[in-house]
Structures are given as structure tokens and as C-alpha cells.
Amino acid sequence: MPNIKDVAKRAGVAPITVSRVINKSGYASEGTRKRVVAAIEELGYVPNTIARGLRSKRTHTLALVVTDITNPFFTLIARGVEDQASTVGFTVIFCNTDESQEKEENYTSILVQKQVDGVLLVPACSHLKSIEFLRNNNIPVVLIDRTIPGVQTDVVRCNSEEGAYNLIRHLIDLGHKRISTITGPQGVSTSADRVNGYHRAMVEAELESNIHVYYGAFTQASGYQLTNQAVGVAPNPTALFGTNNFITIGMLKALRHLSIRVPHEMAVVGFDDLPSAMVVDPFLTVAAQPAYEMGQRATQLLLERISQKNSGGPQEIILPIEIIERRSSGPPLL
């Protein structure tokens, strides 16, 4: 972990000068200030905002960084994290990135300054920068729900590809051949995995010519917009697959505004269930992930890393997915 002396050496100044630039106290020329700022960025140095005496001690604080805290899936994960952390006297800081890499990087910098003991991260994209930054500052990290290609770190997730494959097989078994998928960004692992599952099922059924994938965002607005595109492609699909719950809600809104009846004129399946408290009459056929357990298991693993009870190599915990068949999926019209 770089310190103020490392920054001073890189910038060619005295440590007191670095301190002046950081704290904006005392005089430093513009040229000196630029050299110090450049050295800080190159080394990834984070000024310590907590007393030096705390450096070797724990703060009993974890951070959960998610992409959309308004999504019930992540809300349930957060509850699992908080419940598990509280059993051993840890508190949790919640951070919301809105699927933004820039926000994610800003949060990780703040969390290092606050000296959190560990970070649970739902990555906004497939970039390594945040994980490398946390590791360089000796903060253990566990990924939740999503993976990052090429990085060796602890992960707790479900098998998104298999879940998507089983949903599409369900539709194919009902007689559907024209099935379109509406998904999130291409650079996110869950989006890629669920498209891969869809693609595998369609190829196995020799329906390659009917493969249509629409990439957007994991939001209701994107689901709504892309549904309007998907149903306008001739021949029209007879079934739609939404790769997260918000996309699927947006799909249903669009179909309702288009006066397309579900499931009579369009079958719909989605990823992630909605909590029973939010739905009076469960309707959607879904691949349901155990979000609460995911949060619990990830927190347990992170706490083991912090206490060094688990000093082995990176672990990948894959939890089961349940396919729940409901009324939104039915056979195509003849």
C-alpha cells in the first residue's frame, strides 16, 4: 500500500509538500501541485482520513456496492448481507452505482479512505480497476451475482446460463419457435451468460434463424423500449425472455400498451422473481435466484477472509436456481 513518502519520491518533493497539496494548506507552486497529483494517481495513494492508530485495527465495517438498490433482487441481497454481518457485530455501508463504472471507482476510493474491513461488490462492468484498487489497499473483496473475466477472486452467484437455458427450453417445449431476448449491457457477465443460455437452447432445437437479441440496460425503461422494437420485427415473436425483473416489468407494460395479451398472444418469461409482498397474484414464469441467501453466503465468505479463517485460493460458490412456472407462459396461438 503506497504511503506519503512514496508519493513524495515519485513527485520529487518533500513529504511535507505532499501533505500541503493534499490538505490545501501552505504554499505549493502550480507545477509542484500537478506533479504531486500525478504521483498520487499513478500510485493509487489514498490519504488516510482516520487516525493513524486505527491502521492496524478493524473498523468492524463492511461495504455493499450494488448497481441498483431499488431493484428488489438487490434489496434482498442487502438484507441478507446486513443480517449476516450483524450477527458478528459488523455494520454495513450501502453504495449504489447506477451501473456506472465511474461511480463504482469513486465509491471504492471513499471506502478505502474510511478503512472498511471488506467490500461486497456487484460490478457495474467487466473492468478490473476497482478490484485491483481494493487489493492494492489490502481490502478483501467478494463479488456477488456477477463475474469479471480474467480475475481470480471470491464470487457468490447463480448459474445464469443454465437458468436461461431452462426457461427457453420451457418455452420450446410449449411449442414456441420465435423467441426473442431482451437483455442488459453486453459488457456485464449476467447479460452475457443469459444470452448464452438462450442461444444454446435455440441452437439445440435447430431454431438458429429465429435468434434475436436486443441489448440495452437492466431497467424498466429499456425493457419497454426494446419490446416495442422486438414485436415490430416480422415475423413477430410468439414469446419474449427478459433477462432481469425490471426488464420484464418494462416488457409487460409495453405489451399492455400495445394491446398484446399475455400469455394468449405473447408468452413472457423472466429472470429473478418479485417478493411476495409486492405481488398480490403471482403471474410471471421466472428463473428465481435465492437473493437473500446469496447475500448471506457472500458476507460469510468475506468475514472468513477478514478473520483469516479462510486463507485458501479464490472460491466460487454457485447457488441453485428454481424455475417457477406461472400463467405468463403458455403455448403459441395456432
Side-chain angles (χ1 to χ4, degrees):
M1 181 175 178
N3 56 40
I4 198 168
K5 291 182 180 179
D6 298 324
V7 174
K9 184 177 180 180
R10 176 67 65 93
V13 299
I16 187 63
T17 303
V18 176
S19 179
R20 286 172 180 165
V21 171
I22 291 172
N23 296 310
K24 298 180 180 179
S25 61
Y27 174 76
S29 69
E30 183 62 19
T32 297
R33 190 192 68 79
K34 288 182 178 179
R35 292 204 310 276
V36 170
V37 170
I40 289 172
E41 292 178 351
E42 290 168 8
L43 294 172
Y45 171 69
V46 178
N48 187 6
T49 59
I50 301 178
R52 299 293 179 182
L54 288 176
R55 185 175 296 278
S56 62
K57 298 179 182 178
R58 295 190 187 131
T59 59
H60 294 281
T61 304
L62 306 178
L64 172 63
V65 183
V66 301
T67 54
D68 186 355
I69 196 64
T70 65
N71 189 317
F73 173 70
F74 292 121
T75 304
L76 283 173
I77 285 178
R79 184 58 187 265
V81 169
E82 187 173 43
D83 286 353
Q84 187 65 32
S86 66
T87 63
V88 289
F90 275 68
T91 56
V92 182
I93 297 173
F94 298 102
C95 306
N96 182 70
T97 66
D98 291 319
E99 300 280 3
S100 164
Q101 180 186 339
E102 182 180 0
K103 280 190 175 183
E104 178 182 296
E105 291 172 6
N106 288 339
Y107 273 128
T108 53
S109 178
I110 293 169
L111 294 172
V112 168
Q113 292 183 51
K114 291 185 175 296
Q115 292 190 320
V116 297
D117 294 321
V119 173
L120 298 151
L121 174 66
V122 178
C125 63
S126 295
H127 203 285
L128 301 176
K129 190 171 181 180
S130 295
I131 292 180
E132 290 177 341
F133 182 71
L134 291 168
R135 284 177 168 174
N136 289 340
N137 286 278
N138 301 315
I139 295 178
V141 57
V142 175
L143 299 185
I144 301 181
D145 185 44
R146 302 176 179 180
T147 60
I148 297 178
V151 65
Q152 296 296 311
T153 192
D154 293 318
V155 181
V156 178
R157 66 180 182 91
C158 290
N159 191 333
S160 282
E161 180 175 339
E162 195 66 20
Y165 172 84
N166 289 331
L167 277 177
I168 303 306
R169 283 300 319 176
H170 168 65
L171 291 173
I172 292 172
D173 290 343
L174 287 171
H176 292 278
K177 295 182 179 180
R178 299 194 305 274
I179 306 168
S180 296
T181 291
I182 297 176
T183 189
Q186 288 184 282
V188 176
S189 67
T190 46
S191 183
D193 290 344
R194 292 165 194 178
V195 169
N196 288 341
Y198 159 74
H199 190 275
R200 178 159 61 95
M202 295 290 281
V203 170
E204 282 185 7
E206 300 182 349
L207 298 172
E208 297 97 323
S209 61
N210 293 333
I211 290 176
H212 295 283
V213 180
Y214 299 85
Y215 289 96
F218 285 121
T219 63
Q220 294 185 44
S222 183
Y224 183 94
Q225 177 186 3
L226 294 177
T227 298
N228 281 282
Q229 291 184 31
V231 299
V233 175
N236 290 339
T238 62
L240 295 176
F241 167 40
T243 63
N244 92 329
N245 51 7
F246 271 11
I247 286 175
T248 310
I249 292 171
M251 286 167 44
L252 291 172
K253 288 181 178 179
L255 293 172
R256 185 171 66 250
H257 290 167
L258 292 168
S259 298
I260 297 174
R261 296 177 300 157
V262 178
H264 310 88
E265 297 169 302
M266 183 76 70
V268 172
V269 297
F271 227 94
D272 297 327
D273 205 4
L274 294 172
S276 57
M278 295 181 62
V279 182
V280 176
D281 180 19
F283 173 70
L284 279 173
T285 293
V286 295
Q289 300 185 94
Y292 181 85
E293 184 184 356
M294 198 180 293
Q296 280 188 313
R297 294 289 293 276
T299 306
Q300 184 180 15
L301 179 55
L302 182 61
L303 291 170
E304 288 174 357
R305 294 299 190 190
I306 293 169
S307 66
Q308 298 184 335
K309 289 181 180 178
N310 187 340
S311 57
Q315 287 185 241
E316 183 174 40
I317 299 173
I318 301 178
L319 301 176
I321 287 177
E322 180 184 6
I323 303 298
I324 303 175
E325 298 178 17
R326 300 195 183 107
R327 291 182 291 113
S328 71
S329 57
L333 289 174
L334 297 178

